[in-house]
Amino acid sequence: MTASLPHQGSWPEGEERPAEDRRHMIRRRALTLLIIVLLIGVPAGYLVISANQSRDSGKDKEAKYSATGLTAGWPSKLQRRIYQVPVPHPAWHVAYYETNNWKTSRLYAQFETNAAGLDAYLTGLGVTRDDLEKGHITIGARDRKVTGWKFPEGDAWYGFVHRQKNPAPTHDVVVDLSNPAYPWVYVVSRTVP
């Protein structure tokens, strides 16, 4: 059994359909145009913006992960936590580089700070200035080649190795105290995944 569907009624006999006046026609067309813009234009605009953001994000990540040396800027909070590199405040000329492989992961970091910042950094590692050994360059030739660091002979260089039990990282630290008020710190933090 089929139900009958209602039919649209026709205009009564003898009456003509009223003509649409100009104002009503313009209003109807404007409303139609607005609906088309909202239904098509807004989602299309959103897609364009989203695609641009996605492309920009990919370029940022590509630049970050294709870096082959020190990159100016602070390591992320996650990197600082994993590698236990407490960059103090204030710090200037901060740069870092991270390498990962199946055997060892390394974070290279350098920064300039003030005397109080150096003390805060050393305290963050659990050591003091007494642990710094004069003339002791603890960062090896391989790591210096990766970063381009050069430590010329002189009395201003101090260093130490901060060894910890696995999985905590080991730190090779070199401090340039040629200007004691604004020392430079160079650190290589190694961890075994």
Side-chain angles (χ1 to χ4, degrees), residues 130-166:
D130 295 337
D131 295 308
L132 294 172
E133 297 177 41
K134 187 173 188 172
H136 192 57
I137 305 297
T138 57
I139 297 176
R142 178 200 174 280
D143 293 327
R144 284 183 282 185
K145 184 178 177 185
V146 168
T147 58
W149 290 334
K150 292 178 177 46
F151 304 117
E153 296 291 323
D155 294 339
W157 299 100
Y158 292 79
F160 68 94
V161 176
H162 181 239
R163 288 185 175 79
Q164 301 181 88
K165 233 177 152 176
N166 278 342

mmCIF file of all heavy atoms in Angstrom, residues 130-166:
data_model
loop_
_atom_site.group_PDB
_atom_site.id
_atom_site.type_symbol
_atom_site.label_atom_id
_atom_site.label_comp_id
_atom_site.label_asym_id
_atom_site.label_seq_id
_atom_site.Cartn_x
_atom_site.Cartn_y
_atom_site.Cartn_z
ATOM 1 N N ASP A 130 84.306 24.635 42.427
ATOM 2 C CA ASP A 130 85.476 23.860 42.870
ATOM 3 C C ASP A 130 85.692 22.625 41.998
ATOM 4 O O ASP A 130 86.803 22.089 41.943
ATOM 5 C CB ASP A 130 85.323 23.432 44.331
ATOM 6 C CG ASP A 130 85.309 24.625 45.282
ATOM 7 O OD1 ASP A 130 85.847 25.694 44.888
ATOM 8 O OD2 ASP A 130 84.742 24.506 46.381
ATOM 9 N N ASP A 131 84.641 22.151 41.315
ATOM 10 C CA ASP A 131 84.759 20.976 40.456
ATOM 11 C C ASP A 131 85.368 21.307 39.092
ATOM 12 O O ASP A 131 85.729 20.407 38.335
ATOM 13 C CB ASP A 131 83.383 20.322 40.252
ATOM 14 C CG ASP A 131 82.824 19.781 41.552
ATOM 15 O OD1 ASP A 131 83.547 19.023 42.228
ATOM 16 O OD2 ASP A 131 81.672 20.109 41.889
ATOM 17 N N LEU A 132 85.486 22.600 38.759
ATOM 18 C CA LEU A 132 86.093 23.011 37.486
ATOM 19 C C LEU A 132 87.605 22.820 37.571
ATOM 20 O O LEU A 132 88.247 23.272 38.512
ATOM 21 C CB LEU A 132 85.779 24.475 37.189
ATOM 22 C CG LEU A 132 84.324 24.837 36.914
ATOM 23 C CD1 LEU A 132 84.161 26.349 36.825
ATOM 24 C CD2 LEU A 132 83.845 24.181 35.636
ATOM 25 N N GLU A 133 88.173 22.127 36.577
ATOM 26 C CA GLU A 133 89.610 21.894 36.538
ATOM 27 C C GLU A 133 90.241 22.808 35.498
ATOM 28 O O GLU A 133 89.839 22.790 34.333
ATOM 29 C CB GLU A 133 89.905 20.439 36.192
ATOM 30 C CG GLU A 133 89.391 19.462 37.215
ATOM 31 C CD GLU A 133 89.653 18.019 36.798
ATOM 32 O OE1 GLU A 133 90.759 17.745 36.283
ATOM 33 O OE2 GLU A 133 88.745 17.200 36.971
ATOM 34 N N LYS A 134 91.220 23.573 35.917
ATOM 35 C CA LYS A 134 91.874 24.539 35.036
ATOM 36 C C LYS A 134 92.610 23.809 33.903
ATOM 37 O O LYS A 134 93.330 22.844 34.142
ATOM 38 C CB LYS A 134 92.852 25.400 35.835
ATOM 39 C CG LYS A 134 93.438 26.529 35.052
ATOM 40 C CD LYS A 134 94.255 27.420 35.957
ATOM 41 C CE LYS A 134 94.680 28.665 35.210
ATOM 42 N NZ LYS A 134 95.303 29.636 36.068
ATOM 43 N N GLY A 135 92.395 24.299 32.671
ATOM 44 C CA GLY A 135 93.072 23.737 31.502
ATOM 45 C C GLY A 135 92.539 22.387 31.054
ATOM 46 O O GLY A 135 93.109 21.757 30.169
ATOM 47 N N HIS A 136 91.465 21.899 31.646
ATOM 48 C CA HIS A 136 90.921 20.580 31.336
ATOM 49 C C HIS A 136 89.827 20.711 30.271
ATOM 50 O O HIS A 136 88.699 21.084 30.579
ATOM 51 C CB HIS A 136 90.374 19.953 32.624
ATOM 52 C CG HIS A 136 90.044 18.503 32.520
ATOM 53 N ND1 HIS A 136 90.952 17.558 32.139
ATOM 54 C CD2 HIS A 136 88.887 17.848 32.749
ATOM 55 C CE1 HIS A 136 90.378 16.366 32.144
ATOM 56 N NE2 HIS A 136 89.122 16.522 32.515
ATOM 57 N N ILE A 137 90.165 20.413 29.011
ATOM 58 C CA ILE A 137 89.197 20.456 27.912
ATOM 59 C C ILE A 137 88.570 19.067 27.819
ATOM 60 O O ILE A 137 89.204 18.115 27.358
ATOM 61 C CB ILE A 137 89.865 20.845 26.574
ATOM 62 C CG1 ILE A 137 90.618 22.164 26.704
ATOM 63 C CG2 ILE A 137 88.831 20.895 25.458
ATOM 64 C CD1 ILE A 137 89.764 23.359 27.033
ATOM 65 N N THR A 138 87.333 18.959 28.257
ATOM 66 C CA THR A 138 86.686 17.651 28.352
ATOM 67 C C THR A 138 85.897 17.280 27.100
ATOM 68 O O THR A 138 85.495 16.137 26.941
ATOM 69 C CB THR A 138 85.725 17.629 29.558
ATOM 70 O OG1 THR A 138 84.778 18.690 29.404
ATOM 71 C CG2 THR A 138 86.478 17.813 30.848
ATOM 72 N N ILE A 139 85.661 18.224 26.217
ATOM 73 C CA ILE A 139 84.911 17.948 24.988
ATOM 74 C C ILE A 139 85.898 17.438 23.951
ATOM 75 O O ILE A 139 86.871 18.119 23.613
ATOM 76 C CB ILE A 139 84.158 19.199 24.509
ATOM 77 C CG1 ILE A 139 83.117 19.600 25.558
ATOM 78 C CG2 ILE A 139 83.506 18.953 23.156
ATOM 79 C CD1 ILE A 139 82.372 20.884 25.259
ATOM 80 N N GLY A 140 85.647 16.223 23.455
ATOM 81 C CA GLY A 140 86.564 15.551 22.550
ATOM 82 C C GLY A 140 86.585 16.152 21.148
ATOM 83 O O GLY A 140 85.737 16.961 20.763
ATOM 84 N N ALA A 141 87.579 15.706 20.365
ATOM 85 C CA ALA A 141 87.779 16.215 19.009
ATOM 86 C C ALA A 141 86.568 15.927 18.119
ATOM 87 O O ALA A 141 86.186 16.764 17.295
ATOM 88 C CB ALA A 141 89.028 15.599 18.405
ATOM 89 N N ARG A 142 85.953 14.767 18.267
ATOM 90 C CA ARG A 142 84.782 14.421 17.454
ATOM 91 C C ARG A 142 83.654 15.416 17.677
ATOM 92 O O ARG A 142 83.051 15.931 16.747
ATOM 93 C CB ARG A 142 84.309 13.010 17.783
ATOM 94 C CG ARG A 142 83.068 12.598 17.026
ATOM 95 C CD ARG A 142 82.367 11.411 17.741
ATOM 96 N NE ARG A 142 81.118 11.101 17.118
ATOM 97 C CZ ARG A 142 79.981 11.744 17.309
ATOM 98 N NH1 ARG A 142 79.944 12.797 18.094
ATOM 99 N NH2 ARG A 142 78.862 11.379 16.718
ATOM 100 N N ASP A 143 83.372 15.711 18.942
ATOM 101 C CA ASP A 143 82.290 16.642 19.272
ATOM 102 C C ASP A 143 82.641 18.073 18.851
ATOM 103 O O ASP A 143 81.775 18.826 18.426
ATOM 104 C CB ASP A 143 81.969 16.589 20.766
ATOM 105 C CG ASP A 143 81.364 15.243 21.159
ATOM 106 O OD1 ASP A 143 80.640 14.652 20.331
ATOM 107 O OD2 ASP A 143 81.605 14.785 22.290
ATOM 108 N N ARG A 144 83.908 18.454 18.959
ATOM 109 C CA ARG A 144 84.325 19.789 18.516
ATOM 110 C C ARG A 144 84.169 19.926 17.008
ATOM 111 O O ARG A 144 83.813 20.991 16.505
ATOM 112 C CB ARG A 144 85.772 20.074 18.935
ATOM 113 C CG ARG A 144 85.870 20.392 20.422
ATOM 114 C CD ARG A 144 87.266 20.736 20.784
ATOM 115 N NE ARG A 144 88.007 19.468 20.885
ATOM 116 C CZ ARG A 144 89.256 19.374 21.290
ATOM 117 N NH1 ARG A 144 89.938 20.433 21.614
ATOM 118 N NH2 ARG A 144 89.841 18.211 21.374
ATOM 119 N N LYS A 145 84.424 18.845 16.283
ATOM 120 C CA LYS A 145 84.275 18.881 14.831
ATOM 121 C C LYS A 145 82.805 19.045 14.447
ATOM 122 O O LYS A 145 82.472 19.796 13.530
ATOM 123 C CB LYS A 145 84.840 17.596 14.224
ATOM 124 C CG LYS A 145 84.816 17.577 12.726
ATOM 125 C CD LYS A 145 85.428 16.296 12.190
ATOM 126 C CE LYS A 145 85.331 16.279 10.673
ATOM 127 N NZ LYS A 145 85.792 15.011 10.123
ATOM 128 N N VAL A 146 81.906 18.371 15.163
ATOM 129 C CA VAL A 146 80.470 18.464 14.877
ATOM 130 C C VAL A 146 79.976 19.893 15.063
ATOM 131 O O VAL A 146 79.185 20.402 14.266
ATOM 132 C CB VAL A 146 79.675 17.495 15.786
ATOM 133 C CG1 VAL A 146 78.187 17.781 15.734
ATOM 134 C CG2 VAL A 146 79.947 16.051 15.383
ATOM 135 N N THR A 147 80.440 20.560 16.104
ATOM 136 C CA THR A 147 79.928 21.892 16.440
ATOM 137 C C THR A 147 80.769 23.033 15.890
ATOM 138 O O THR A 147 80.284 24.160 15.798
ATOM 139 C CB THR A 147 79.861 22.064 17.967
ATOM 140 O OG1 THR A 147 81.170 21.855 18.497
ATOM 141 C CG2 THR A 147 78.881 21.102 18.584
ATOM 142 N N GLY A 148 82.020 22.752 15.568
ATOM 143 C CA GLY A 148 82.906 23.821 15.123
ATOM 144 C C GLY A 148 83.547 24.578 16.274
ATOM 145 O O GLY A 148 84.145 25.641 16.084
ATOM 146 N N TRP A 149 83.444 24.038 17.484
ATOM 147 C CA TRP A 149 84.044 24.697 18.638
ATOM 148 C C TRP A 149 85.564 24.562 18.579
ATOM 149 O O TRP A 149 86.100 23.504 18.273
ATOM 150 C CB TRP A 149 83.541 24.086 19.940
ATOM 151 C CG TRP A 149 82.110 24.379 20.259
ATOM 152 C CD1 TRP A 149 81.372 25.445 19.851
ATOM 153 C CD2 TRP A 149 81.253 23.578 21.060
ATOM 154 N NE1 TRP A 149 80.107 25.366 20.357
ATOM 155 C CE2 TRP A 149 79.993 24.223 21.103
ATOM 156 C CE3 TRP A 149 81.394 22.383 21.754
ATOM 157 C CZ2 TRP A 149 78.911 23.722 21.807
ATOM 158 C CZ3 TRP A 149 80.320 21.877 22.445
ATOM 159 C CH2 TRP A 149 79.087 22.552 22.477
ATOM 160 N N LYS A 150 86.255 25.640 18.948
ATOM 161 C CA LYS A 150 87.710 25.628 19.047
ATOM 162 C C LYS A 150 88.073 26.157 20.432
ATOM 163 O O LYS A 150 87.591 27.199 20.851
ATOM 164 C CB LYS A 150 88.321 26.499 17.961
ATOM 165 C CG LYS A 150 88.120 25.937 16.564
ATOM 166 C CD LYS A 150 88.695 26.873 15.521
ATOM 167 C CE LYS A 150 88.610 26.352 14.119
ATOM 168 N NZ LYS A 150 87.379 25.782 13.687
ATOM 169 N N PHE A 151 88.914 25.404 21.118
ATOM 170 C CA PHE A 151 89.342 25.792 22.451
ATOM 171 C C PHE A 151 90.859 25.975 22.424
ATOM 172 O O PHE A 151 91.618 25.037 22.674
ATOM 173 C CB PHE A 151 88.945 24.734 23.483
ATOM 174 C CG PHE A 151 87.474 24.420 23.502
ATOM 175 C CD1 PHE A 151 87.014 23.154 23.189
ATOM 176 C CD2 PHE A 151 86.543 25.396 23.817
ATOM 177 C CE1 PHE A 151 85.660 22.860 23.213
ATOM 178 C CE2 PHE A 151 85.186 25.116 23.839
ATOM 179 C CZ PHE A 151 84.748 23.846 23.529
ATOM 180 N N PRO A 152 91.330 27.197 22.118
ATOM 181 C CA PRO A 152 92.780 27.415 22.028
ATOM 182 C C PRO A 152 93.446 27.298 23.403
ATOM 183 O O PRO A 152 92.796 27.383 24.440
ATOM 184 C CB PRO A 152 92.887 28.837 21.471
ATOM 185 C CG PRO A 152 91.583 29.482 21.768
ATOM 186 C CD PRO A 152 90.564 28.397 21.855
ATOM 187 N N GLU A 153 94.748 27.104 23.351
ATOM 188 C CA GLU A 153 95.526 27.014 24.599
ATOM 189 C C GLU A 153 95.374 28.314 25.378
ATOM 190 O O GLU A 153 95.302 29.391 24.813
ATOM 191 C CB GLU A 153 97.002 26.782 24.271
ATOM 192 C CG GLU A 153 97.289 25.469 23.574
ATOM 193 C CD GLU A 153 97.074 24.278 24.471
ATOM 194 O OE1 GLU A 153 97.381 24.361 25.668
ATOM 195 O OE2 GLU A 153 96.566 23.256 23.973
ATOM 196 N N GLY A 154 95.340 28.194 26.680
ATOM 197 C CA GLY A 154 95.252 29.386 27.515
ATOM 198 C C GLY A 154 94.836 29.034 28.931
ATOM 199 O O GLY A 154 94.466 27.899 29.235
ATOM 200 N N ASP A 155 94.906 30.028 29.790
ATOM 201 C CA ASP A 155 94.590 29.809 31.200
ATOM 202 C C ASP A 155 93.112 29.973 31.513
ATOM 203 O O ASP A 155 92.697 29.732 32.641
ATOM 204 C CB ASP A 155 95.379 30.809 32.063
ATOM 205 C CG ASP A 155 96.881 30.561 31.983
ATOM 206 O OD1 ASP A 155 97.267 29.440 31.622
ATOM 207 O OD2 ASP A 155 97.642 31.498 32.285
ATOM 208 N N ALA A 156 92.332 30.414 30.541
ATOM 209 C CA ALA A 156 90.943 30.764 30.830
ATOM 210 C C ALA A 156 89.981 29.581 30.734
ATOM 211 O O ALA A 156 88.805 29.716 31.044
ATOM 212 C CB ALA A 156 90.478 31.861 29.882
ATOM 213 N N TRP A 157 90.451 28.409 30.296
ATOM 214 C CA TRP A 157 89.564 27.280 30.063
ATOM 215 C C TRP A 157 89.513 26.367 31.288
ATOM 216 O O TRP A 157 90.536 25.987 31.842
ATOM 217 C CB TRP A 157 90.035 26.485 28.851
ATOM 218 C CG TRP A 157 90.026 27.318 27.614
ATOM 219 C CD1 TRP A 157 91.088 27.932 27.029
ATOM 220 C CD2 TRP A 157 88.883 27.667 26.836
ATOM 221 N NE1 TRP A 157 90.692 28.634 25.929
ATOM 222 C CE2 TRP A 157 89.333 28.486 25.771
ATOM 223 C CE3 TRP A 157 87.524 27.376 26.905
ATOM 224 C CZ2 TRP A 157 88.488 29.010 24.806
ATOM 225 C CZ3 TRP A 157 86.682 27.891 25.946
ATOM 226 C CH2 TRP A 157 87.168 28.696 24.916
ATOM 227 N N TYR A 158 88.294 26.023 31.657
ATOM 228 C CA TYR A 158 88.068 25.116 32.779
ATOM 229 C C TYR A 158 87.077 24.056 32.316
ATOM 230 O O TYR A 158 86.222 24.326 31.468
ATOM 231 C CB TYR A 158 87.472 25.856 33.980
ATOM 232 C CG TYR A 158 88.423 26.835 34.618
ATOM 233 C CD1 TYR A 158 88.646 28.089 34.054
ATOM 234 C CD2 TYR A 158 89.102 26.501 35.780
ATOM 235 C CE1 TYR A 158 89.523 28.982 34.633
ATOM 236 C CE2 TYR A 158 89.983 27.402 36.363
ATOM 237 C CZ TYR A 158 90.189 28.639 35.789
ATOM 238 O OH TYR A 158 91.053 29.513 36.359
ATOM 239 N N GLY A 159 87.178 22.861 32.866
ATOM 240 C CA GLY A 159 86.239 21.827 32.454
ATOM 241 C C GLY A 159 86.059 20.747 33.495
ATOM 242 O O GLY A 159 86.819 20.648 34.462
ATOM 243 N N PHE A 160 85.040 19.946 33.287
ATOM 244 C CA PHE A 160 84.794 18.775 34.120
ATOM 245 C C PHE A 160 83.851 17.838 33.386
ATOM 246 O O PHE A 160 83.160 18.225 32.442
ATOM 247 C CB PHE A 160 84.210 19.159 35.496
ATOM 248 C CG PHE A 160 82.816 19.715 35.432
ATOM 249 C CD1 PHE A 160 81.710 18.886 35.601
ATOM 250 C CD2 PHE A 160 82.596 21.069 35.211
ATOM 251 C CE1 PHE A 160 80.425 19.409 35.541
ATOM 252 C CE2 PHE A 160 81.322 21.587 35.157
ATOM 253 C CZ PHE A 160 80.224 20.756 35.326
ATOM 254 N N VAL A 161 83.858 16.590 33.809
ATOM 255 C CA VAL A 161 82.924 15.594 33.285
ATOM 256 C C VAL A 161 81.992 15.235 34.417
ATOM 257 O O VAL A 161 82.434 14.876 35.514
ATOM 258 C CB VAL A 161 83.665 14.338 32.766
ATOM 259 C CG1 VAL A 161 82.675 13.287 32.311
ATOM 260 C CG2 VAL A 161 84.609 14.705 31.639
ATOM 261 N N HIS A 162 80.716 15.346 34.156
ATOM 262 C CA HIS A 162 79.693 15.023 35.153
ATOM 263 C C HIS A 162 79.074 13.683 34.767
ATOM 264 O O HIS A 162 78.203 13.614 33.902
ATOM 265 C CB HIS A 162 78.642 16.143 35.180
ATOM 266 C CG HIS A 162 77.567 15.936 36.182
ATOM 267 N ND1 HIS A 162 76.242 15.854 35.862
ATOM 268 C CD2 HIS A 162 77.622 15.782 37.534
ATOM 269 C CE1 HIS A 162 75.528 15.664 36.931
ATOM 270 N NE2 HIS A 162 76.347 15.623 37.969
ATOM 271 N N ARG A 163 79.578 12.610 35.374
ATOM 272 C CA ARG A 163 79.083 11.262 35.069
ATOM 273 C C ARG A 163 77.930 10.915 35.996
ATOM 274 O O ARG A 163 77.980 11.205 37.192
ATOM 275 C CB ARG A 163 80.198 10.245 35.220
ATOM 276 C CG ARG A 163 81.212 10.328 34.118
ATOM 277 C CD ARG A 163 82.253 9.210 34.227
ATOM 278 N NE ARG A 163 83.160 9.236 33.105
ATOM 279 C CZ ARG A 163 84.187 10.065 32.986
ATOM 280 N NH1 ARG A 163 84.411 10.951 33.928
ATOM 281 N NH2 ARG A 163 84.977 10.019 31.949
ATOM 282 N N GLN A 164 76.928 10.255 35.404
ATOM 283 C CA GLN A 164 75.776 9.806 36.178
ATOM 284 C C GLN A 164 75.460 8.366 35.763
ATOM 285 O O GLN A 164 75.872 7.915 34.701
ATOM 286 C CB GLN A 164 74.555 10.693 35.908
ATOM 287 C CG GLN A 164 74.787 12.160 36.238
ATOM 288 C CD GLN A 164 73.538 12.973 35.980
ATOM 289 O OE1 GLN A 164 72.693 13.097 36.858
ATOM 290 N NE2 GLN A 164 73.420 13.525 34.773
ATOM 291 N N LYS A 165 74.715 7.701 36.591
ATOM 292 C CA LYS A 165 74.303 6.326 36.300
ATOM 293 C C LYS A 165 73.276 6.315 35.181
ATOM 294 O O LYS A 165 72.405 7.184 35.125
ATOM 295 C CB LYS A 165 73.683 5.729 37.561
ATOM 296 C CG LYS A 165 74.271 4.436 37.993
ATOM 297 C CD LYS A 165 73.638 3.981 39.278
ATOM 298 C CE LYS A 165 73.693 2.475 39.313
ATOM 299 N NZ LYS A 165 73.209 1.927 40.528
ATOM 300 N N ASN A 166 73.364 5.344 34.248
ATOM 301 C CA ASN A 166 72.362 5.223 33.181
ATOM 302 C C ASN A 166 70.987 5.046 33.800
ATOM 303 O O ASN A 166 70.863 4.410 34.828
ATOM 304 C CB ASN A 166 72.684 4.030 32.270
ATOM 305 C CG ASN A 166 73.723 4.387 31.229
ATOM 306 O OD1 ASN A 166 73.956 5.556 30.967
ATOM 307 N ND2 ASN A 166 74.339 3.382 30.647
#
